[in-house]
């Protein structure tokens, strides 16, 4: 399978490029190679692949396979979040909440966490529930809203 994915990836197929990146990340059919992972993710991300953009954000945020660059991580998350990718929206919201890679902003943090939660992201639902429960991100404590989001998270698929 690795050969077929690599052939399609080499011909510019963004989905195959993402898959080859994942194969190098996991060491499936090829040796683990963070540099190759980043290479293939970059190719797919440049073509607008949302999962590749998100994964590059994670790599840049954590410094796995690339030099840690939280500003670049925020940029990758933003690209994918703007196009409706819930995990990217959640990660971007968390960066805003911490003020890492972006200027700290409760308003922006809450916006992106809510986008993720409303799109069905279970972790986003939990974080939004916690924000209502504890009065985080400028919210007044609201047990009713907290329970609503915890209940949605409990029943969400993921």
């Amino acid at each position: 399978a690795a050969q077929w994915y690599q052939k399609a990836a080499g011909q510019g197929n963004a989905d195959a490029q993402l898959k080859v990146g994942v194969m190098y990340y996991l060491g499936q059919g090829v040796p683990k190679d963070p540099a190759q992972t980043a290479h293939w993710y970059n190719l797919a991300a440049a073509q607008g692949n949302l999962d590749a953009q998100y994964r590059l954000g994670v790599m840049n945020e954590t410094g796995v396979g690339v030099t840690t660059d939280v500003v670049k991580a925020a940029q990758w998350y933003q690209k994918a979040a703007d196009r409706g990718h819930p995990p990217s929206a959640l990660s971007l919201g968390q960066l805003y909440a911490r003020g890492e890679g972006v200027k700290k902003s409760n308003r922006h943090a809450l916006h992106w966490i809510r986008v993720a939660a409303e799109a069905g992201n279970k972790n986003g639902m939990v974080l939004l529930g916690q924000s209502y429960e504890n009065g985080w991100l400028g919210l007044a404590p609201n047990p009713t809203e907290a329970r609503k989001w915890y209940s949605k998270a409990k029943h969400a698929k993921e």
Side-chain angles (χ1 to χ4, degrees), residues 50-51 53-55 57-58 61 73-98 102 105-121 123-125 127-128 137:
L50 300 179
D51 287 330
Q53 291 172 347
Y54 169 71
R55 289 168 185 260
V58 171
E61 184 178 0
Q75 292 168 346
W76 282 119
Y77 291 148
Q78 184 79 56
K79 283 180 186 235
D82 284 344
R83 293 185 44 225
H85 191 257
S88 295
L90 177 60
S91 293
L92 183 59
Q94 291 172 313
L95 290 182
Y96 273 112
R98 294 189 307 262
V102 293
S105 169
N106 285 343
R107 183 173 61 84
H108 285 101
L110 184 59
H111 167 77
W112 287 112
I113 292 166
R114 185 179 302 282
V115 165
E118 289 177 349
N121 182 282
N123 292 331
M125 293 174 193
L127 187 52
L128 190 55
L137 304 176

